[in-house]
Amino acid sequence: MNTNAFALRHIGPREEDQKLMLNAIGLDTIDELITETIPNDIRLKNGLNLEDPMTEYEYLLHIHELSKKNKARKTYIGLGYHPTVMPAVIQRNILENPGWYTAYTPYQAEIAQGRLEALLNFQTMVTDLTGMELANASLLDESTAAAEAMSLLFAVRSRPQKKAGINKFFVSEQILPQTLSLLQTRSTPIGIELVIGKENDFDFSTEFFGAILQYPGKDGQITDIKSFIEKANASEIKVAVAADILSLIKLEAPGKFGADVVVGTTQRFGIPMGYGGPHAAYFATKEAYKRDIPGRIIGVTKDTDGKRALRMALQTREQHIKRDKATSNICTAQVLLAVMASMYAVYHGPKGLKFIANKVHNKASKLAEVLESLGYEQTNTSFFDTLNIKTKAKKIKKIATDKKVNLWYPDKKTVTISINETTSIRDINYLISIFAEAAGKDSIEISEVSPANNIDINIARTSPFLTIDVFNKYHSETELMRYIKSLERKDLALNHSMISLGSCTMKLNAASEMLPLSIFKWANIHPFVPLKQAKGYLEVLKVLEDQLTEITGFAATSLQPNSGAQGEFAGLMVIKAYHESRGDTHRNICLIPSSAHGTNPASAVMAGMKVVVTKATEEGNIDVEDLREKAELHKANLSALMVTYPSTHGVYESAIKEITQIIHDNGGQVYMDGANMNAQVGLTNPGNIGADVCHLNLHKTFAIPHGGGGPGVGPICVAKQLAPFLPGNPLIKTGGKDAITAISAAPFGSALACLISYGYIKMLGASGLTQSTEIAILNANYIKHRLEGYYETLYSGEKGRAAHEMIIDCRPFKDNGIEVTDIAKRLMDFGFHAPTVSFPVAGTMMIEPTESESKAEMDRFCDAMIAIKHEIDTVSIDEPNNVLKNAPHTLEMITSDEWYFPYSREKAAFPLEYVRSNKFWPTVRRVDDAYGDRNLICTCAPIEAYAEV
């Protein structure tokens, strides 16, 4: 046994177990299984052209050496990214803790109460600081959130505005440059006209439906947003404000002035810059817009016993339900980062946050005072942390560069300096010395900083914030450590048992892949530093792009999209740009199979396309003749087909090459959704099946952890003809020669998280990646075999095999009064998270074990499913008081003096012997979703608010 091989540690089943599993499904070798599963005409003829795999030890040495190529200099660039101090208690107990980073999106609320509470804290923090009524559980980055705000305000226009076709949106010229680029990307496809200008010159014309302001502005000046919003409201113009969250400690909440939406990033709350991400954006708005707010919202409800419980609220907004009518294609969040930011607020509390904000403002004020005494003109009359110096920028830049300091130089006559939480008095003196040298004067040294106030009194904060208990009691490390642990114990994650979610691919997130995230020179690089300071990052990102290009069989890759939904949108926008470059501006029809992920039609609409749905056959495959008919019908305007492969039903469709050829013959391009790429790597690829672009979910196939619902990374890989249009960035050169405008705020999206996938591929190599795919397919077929006779598998390939996942039909159990939800809840009593429920077929479960799960773990899962089937057989629709309908069973139920159920406590809590040795207790009984939507509470309100619950 080669214990140096990472593949040995990543792949679950041992060699002898693989033989037993193959024998169980009636085969001798893996090759036989793959031959029976994947159509021969799409199999790769040659292996992947990748470097030999590294051992874990070699990789960690390698990544440490690469980090030295990054120059972590003192950085005062600002523009939405700032050096921070991550409390070690948060780093060790959340960022580096698999109990937090391997959890899945909290669809199963009863076993996710911990992260739900942390997210409720996050929402409360955001609503308090912004003065809004409702906040979601985070978005991807500030610029994306701003674009979502624009889309929301467009959607909620008044009826007369819609009737009159009012489509102008005012953008302050003080908006961050990356946000402007995102607004440009998102506005054009849906018919919004951007008008960029000075706030003071805006005439509040009735031609405008909305406006967005930056607070403070990109150069640091804090404008009078109060007056602007008052005038806008009087003209029926809705206003979004992009606000620096740390500045809101000192500045009045925009909601107090009547803002309709407030967005920003929580990166300043202890999250490292990471060369651009991942960071949790925030999005806050009025309750009147609760049906239009993008992303996820955590709400308060009650459980079966009437006790307070948390769950995701208003899920009818989800893309899988609303599809092309969805208000946004965002189907995830940045949960891990939102949890960390919320804990930063919990740890520091309102007093600690005031101390930090005052420290930043006082130092910026002192620096301004000294620079003015040296003869410099500082133009900001009201500022929080950023100074705008009018001087010869070239001269300052040379001295600052020589002294290894990063400032920002917006033009030849301007230097801006953004002070941050890490800035010390020594740093202020060092900055002073740079400007003194440039002025030819002796430097002035300061020894202390006095309280200052350079904020206009009209917008200085007077409203209280973070007044509730949770933000005022966990200020020692001991207390916070215990609070974090108390929440962790309420959550089921991969460190407890397998999470067999079809289409979500919950595989091992190896410790050796995660460790580099904590290395200083990876974590603390600003995304807009000169490229020569990020050579380590640029090398890793270039190699990762090349790795993904090779794996997908394409010509080029962009890592910029920072979620799967962003990847979908990016892929379609690149297709759109390709058609436009050929004069085919009229091509706007997107064909989407009825079985597609709900984000597909939502993304197509965002890209300005019209969705035409194609039928599926009874076997769950694309109806080729219906597809052909619709492709030919729309031949003149066909833009794209969106297809998932293997299919959403877990089958390698043998007609896939015919399908892609039909689209090409009719002038369209093929977009492949990469959700199921874990069943392709090393055996086939999107290029081989005839696709033109695909997005990849690095948080699925390439081992980035789900983190309780994010971070995700969704890069796109493209064929040669689409490569020129890969997305760019307004500040750092990226993308193709004819790059579309930005898809995400940072040039390379969530660059820090990309280190994980880089390590995954480096340590597995071509052989390990291919073996991982093979074992994923073996594991799925083994589970399919074990459940035969108990559950019917809905779809399978032509030779009866599943791909990497399969769908089991739970609809027949309705005769016994049992719904698929009851099975999902009962699995919690066995210590398992349910597979994907009711997608893509209502009343079913989609099971995907991944290659990381051992035979022993899969057997435990199958034993649980079989035991549940036996329970189903014993219950009746006439007797709903049964072990399935009452699931899950909490410790409080089992230890109660009273027991009202017609089955034993043992059957309820310990249905199989193995459960005794590793029991996981759901925190609450079954949650009441409808009650939570009818009585929407999305913040940690005082306890009186829960009296009715």
Side-chain angles (χ1 to χ4, degrees):
M1 182 171 72
N2 179 6
T3 58
N4 284 329
F6 176 69
L8 180 79
R9 307 305 189 188
H10 175 77
I11 293 171
R14 305 296 83 190
E15 193 172 332
E16 55 273 21
D17 290 329
Q18 294 173 30
K19 291 176 182 176
L20 290 171
M21 293 159 65
L22 284 164
N23 184 58
I25 64 174
L27 296 174
D28 294 323
T29 67
I30 289 280
D31 288 343
E32 289 179 290
L33 173 62
I34 301 306
T35 299
E36 290 189 4
T37 306
I38 304 180
N40 186 59
D41 67 330
I42 63 166
R43 289 285 302 276
L44 296 180
K45 302 298 183 275
N46 300 303
L48 296 172
N49 182 21
L50 298 171
E51 294 178 359
D52 291 337
M54 290 181 171
T55 68
E56 292 180 74
Y57 178 70
E58 288 170 338
Y59 174 70
L60 290 173
L61 289 177
H62 166 74
I63 206 72
H64 269 281
E65 286 301 308
L66 274 181
S67 76
K68 295 175 184 176
K69 296 185 179 182
N70 295 324
K71 308 301 180 188
R73 295 182 173 175
K74 290 290 182 180
T75 296
Y76 308 94
I77 292 172
L79 295 178
Y81 302 92
H82 302 266
T84 61
V85 178
M86 184 196 301
V89 62
I90 294 175
Q91 176 176 322
R92 175 56 55 89
N93 292 289
I94 297 177
L95 175 63
E96 298 175 353
N97 181 353
W100 284 95
Y101 68 69
T102 71
Y104 181 62
T105 303
Y107 281 126
Q108 299 290 330
E110 296 84 357
I111 51 176
Q113 291 294 297
R115 81 198 83 126
L116 286 167
E117 180 173 328
L119 291 174
L120 196 70
N121 293 344
F122 177 86
Q123 292 176 181
T124 304
M125 172 187 86
V126 170
T127 54
D128 274 15
L129 289 172
T130 61
M132 302 306 291
E133 297 166 339
L134 183 67
N136 67 17
S138 79
L139 283 181
L140 304 174
D141 57 42
E142 178 174 332
S143 300
T144 302
E148 293 287 345
M150 174 184 69
S151 298
L152 181 146
L153 297 182
F154 190 56
V156 301
R157 288 172 297 165
S158 67
R159 186 170 294 177
Q161 285 177 324
K162 290 179 179 178
K163 191 173 181 180
I166 302 302
N167 72 333
K168 287 186 178 180
F169 188 70
F170 175 75
V171 182
S172 166
E173 64 177 18
Q174 280 297 307
I175 203 80
L176 296 177
Q178 65 270 28
T179 298
L180 176 59
S181 189
L182 250 298
L183 293 171
Q184 291 166 336
T185 305
R186 295 281 292 273
S187 60
T188 304
I190 58 175
I192 294 174
E193 181 184 343
L194 298 185
V195 177
I196 303 154
K198 297 181 187 300
E199 293 164 36
N200 292 338
D201 295 342
F202 186 52
D203 63 1
F204 301 94
S205 159
T206 54
E207 295 179 349
F208 289 81
F209 70 87
I212 187 167
L213 312 176
Q214 192 80 42
Y215 183 61
K218 67 179 180 182
D219 65 8
Q221 176 69 29
I222 306 170
T223 56
D224 184 5
I225 70 166
K226 181 180 180 181
S227 298
F228 185 98
I229 293 171
E230 286 174 353
K231 293 175 184 176
N233 287 345
S235 301
E236 289 191 61
I237 298 171
K238 294 181 172 65
V239 179
V241 177
D244 179 312
I245 196 164
L246 189 63
S247 77
L248 293 181
I249 311 297
K250 299 282 291 180
L251 305 181
E252 189 54 273
K256 300 296 181 184
F257 300 143
D260 294 278
V261 185
V262 186
V263 300
T265 175
T266 58
Q267 184 264 321
R268 296 195 84 161
F269 279 18
I271 311 300
M273 292 179 289
Y275 203 44
H279 307 130
Y282 69 83
F283 189 108
T285 188
K286 298 177 177 178
E287 192 166 334
Y289 307 141
K290 65 187 179 185
R291 295 284 171 185
D292 296 279
I293 185 171
R296 291 176 171 146
I297 307 170
I298 307 309
V300 181
T301 186
K302 61 182 180 179
D303 73 359
T304 301
D305 290 334
K307 295 186 176 177
R308 179 179 182 269
L310 307 175
R311 33 77 78 173
M312 291 200 293
L314 300 173
Q315 286 309 293
T316 53
R317 302 170 309 110
E318 283 272 15
Q319 295 77 15
H320 292 304
I321 296 167
K322 297 185 78 171
R323 301 180 72 79
D324 57 317
K325 301 295 190 297
T327 54
S328 165
N329 76 335
I330 298 291
C331 70
T332 188
Q334 298 277 26
V335 169
L336 185 67
L337 294 311
V339 167
M340 292 166 64
S342 76
M343 288 300 177
Y344 181 92
V346 168
Y347 195 39
H348 290 297
K351 292 179 181 177
L353 292 178
K354 286 177 183 176
F355 172 80
I356 293 167
N358 284 330
K359 183 175 68 168
V360 169
H361 180 66
N362 295 342
K363 286 174 181 169
S365 298
K366 187 64 177 178
L367 178 61
E369 177 189 319
V370 175
L371 293 185
E372 285 169 353
S373 73
L374 287 171
Y376 288 96
E377 180 189 2
Q378 199 286 117
T379 65
N380 290 338
T381 55
S382 178
F383 62 88
F384 167 61
D385 65 354
T386 299
L387 310 181
N388 197 55
I389 312 295
K390 291 300 178 182
T391 184
K392 292 181 179 179
K394 186 176 181 180
K395 190 172 186 181
I396 298 291
K397 186 175 183 178
K398 184 181 186 312
I399 297 169
T401 301
D402 289 344
K403 289 180 176 286
K404 300 181 178 179
V405 169
N406 291 318
L407 307 175
W408 187 244
Y409 310 95
D411 57 53
K412 293 180 180 179
K413 297 180 179 180
T414 311
V415 180
T416 68
I417 313 167
S418 290
I419 302 305
N420 59 75
E421 179 189 6
T422 71
T423 307
S424 65
I425 289 178
R426 181 180 178 182
D427 295 329
I428 296 294
N429 284 324
Y430 200 64
L431 286 167
I432 293 168
S433 72
I434 291 169
F435 283 84
E437 182 177 334
K441 297 181 179 180
D442 292 335
S443 188
I444 300 169
E445 188 162 312
I446 63 171
S447 59
E448 60 181 3
V449 172
S450 303
N453 188 6
N454 280 289
I455 294 172
D456 187 329
I457 193 170
N458 291 323
I459 49 178
R461 186 160 197 127
T462 59
S463 55
F465 59 93
L466 305 186
T467 57
I468 64 166
D469 207 27
V470 72
F471 296 108
N472 292 280
K473 64 188 293 188
Y474 302 115
H475 301 327
S476 75
E477 179 167 332
T478 304
E479 287 299 317
L480 185 67
M481 176 179 66
R482 288 173 182 161
Y483 177 58
I484 291 171
K485 188 64 180 179
S486 73
L487 298 188
E488 181 193 341
R489 283 200 300 264
K490 297 178 181 180
D491 281 12
L492 190 146
L494 273 177
N495 63 342
H496 179 86
S497 59
M498 73 183 287
I499 302 178
S500 56
L501 287 151
S503 190
C504 292
T505 315
M506 297 290 293
K507 64 170 68 181
L508 170 72
N509 314 122
S512 52
E513 296 158 5
M514 299 294 293
L515 285 173
L517 304 192
S518 298
I519 296 175
F520 186 85
K521 286 191 175 182
W522 290 119
N524 293 285
I525 306 296
H526 192 290
F528 301 144
V529 297
L531 293 179
K532 62 184 178 182
Q533 291 180 31
K535 286 183 178 179
Y537 259 117
L538 295 175
E539 185 172 331
V540 163
L541 298 172
K542 177 62 169 67
V543 171
L544 179 58
E545 286 178 357
D546 291 345
Q547 290 168 335
L548 298 177
T549 299
E550 168 66 17
I551 287 166
T552 56
F554 280 136
T557 294
S558 169
L559 297 170
Q560 191 177 118
N562 51 6
S563 80
Q566 293 292 84
E568 288 182 16
F569 178 65
L572 293 174
M573 289 300 288
V574 164
I575 288 174
K576 186 181 179 76
Y578 165 74
H579 286 311
E580 289 173 353
S581 75
R582 294 157 56 86
D584 290 340
T585 55
H586 56 281
R587 290 194 174 272
N588 69 338
I589 298 294
C590 186
L591 301 183
I592 301 181
S594 58
S595 63
H597 290 88
T599 52
N600 286 180
S603 296
V605 169
M606 277 176 54
M609 296 182 184
K610 181 180 177 182
V611 174
V612 174
V613 177
T614 67
K615 298 176 184 175
T617 66
E618 288 185 8
E619 294 77 28
N621 297 328
I622 292 173
D623 186 324
V624 177
E625 292 313 309
D626 183 62
L627 178 90
R628 189 191 313 277
E629 179 183 319
K630 285 171 177 168
E632 291 175 353
L633 175 66
H634 298 288
K635 181 175 183 176
N637 299 308
L638 182 62
S639 177
L641 165 72
M642 298 186 81
V643 61
T644 301
Y645 200 77
S647 74
T648 312
H649 294 140
V651 175
Y652 294 90
E653 297 184 45
S654 58
I656 188 62
K657 281 196 166 183
E658 181 183 1
I659 288 166
T660 56
Q661 190 60 50
I662 289 169
I663 301 304
H664 291 149
D665 289 345
N666 288 282
Q669 295 282 285
V670 177
Y671 167 91
M672 194 205 84
D673 186 312
N676 293 341
M677 192 66 196
N678 207 49
Q680 287 198 45
V681 179
L683 299 177
T684 184
N685 63 42
N688 210 37
I689 67 172
D692 300 288
V693 53
C694 76
H695 90 267
L696 300 172
N697 298 98
L698 298 192
H699 49 287
K700 295 182 183 182
T701 308
F702 296 97
I704 290 177
H706 288 247
V713 180
I716 56 169
C717 307
V718 297
K720 185 178 180 180
Q721 75 275 12
L722 299 181
F725 309 102
L726 288 175
N729 179 275
L731 300 175
I732 299 293
K733 176 72 176 81
T734 61
K737 64 181 180 66
D738 298 311
I740 62 172
T741 45
I743 293 295
S744 300
F748 301 97
S750 293
L752 184 63
C754 286
L755 292 177
I756 303 165
S757 297
Y758 172 80
Y760 173 82
I761 297 170
K762 275 283 186 184
M763 288 186 285
L764 279 176
S767 58
L769 288 168
T770 304
Q771 188 186 7
S772 293
T773 308
E774 292 170 341
I775 301 302
I777 294 168
L778 173 61
N779 284 0
N781 280 278
Y782 177 68
I783 288 181
K784 178 176 180 287
H785 165 77
R786 284 238 29 212
L787 298 183
E788 280 173 3
Y790 303 98
Y791 300 88
E792 179 188 351
T793 300
L794 271 189
Y795 308 110
S796 56
E798 293 174 1
K799 296 187 179 178
R801 301 297 181 191
H804 63 311
E805 63 188 8
M806 89 287 298
I807 297 172
I808 60 170
D809 195 355
C810 302
R811 291 171 295 186
F813 308 141
K814 290 184 178 183
D815 293 341
N816 299 62
I818 299 303
E819 303 286 343
V820 66
T821 302
D822 300 319
I823 300 171
K825 304 304 182 189
R826 180 58 173 154
L827 271 170
M828 298 177 193
D829 291 329
F830 290 80
F832 284 106
H833 191 292
T836 302
V837 173
S838 287
F839 175 80
V841 181
T844 67
M845 280 185 168
M846 184 158 56
I847 304 170
E848 180 184 353
T850 86
E851 71 275 10
S852 297
E853 297 301 339
S854 67
K855 179 179 180 295
E857 182 70 358
M858 289 186 289
D859 281 334
R860 282 189 286 271
F861 173 77
C862 291
D863 289 345
M865 291 295 292
I866 292 166
I868 289 171
K869 176 56 169 65
H870 289 317
E871 291 175 348
I872 293 170
D873 292 340
T874 65
V875 303
S876 164
I877 196 170
D878 300 321
E879 296 178 1
N881 185 13
N882 61 60
V883 74
L884 287 133
K885 286 292 184 185
N886 292 325
H889 297 81
T890 62
L891 180 61
E892 186 176 357
M893 288 175 69
I894 300 302
T895 57
S896 173
D897 290 339
E898 298 172 330
W899 185 257
Y900 299 112
F901 310 107
Y903 48 89
S904 69
R905 297 173 197 257
E906 181 179 44
K907 182 177 179 65
F910 303 103
L912 290 175
E913 189 60 32
Y914 73 78
V915 179
R916 294 180 185 277
S917 63
N918 192 28
K919 177 65 181 175
F920 181 90
W921 292 102
T923 312
V924 297
R925 294 191 65 190
R926 199 174 300 197
V927 299
D928 187 333
D929 291 323
Y931 182 92
D933 284 351
R934 289 195 307 271
N935 303 274
L936 190 64
I937 300 173
C938 297
T939 59
C940 305
I943 195 67
E944 291 77 23
Y946 306 124
E948 188 181 340
V949 178

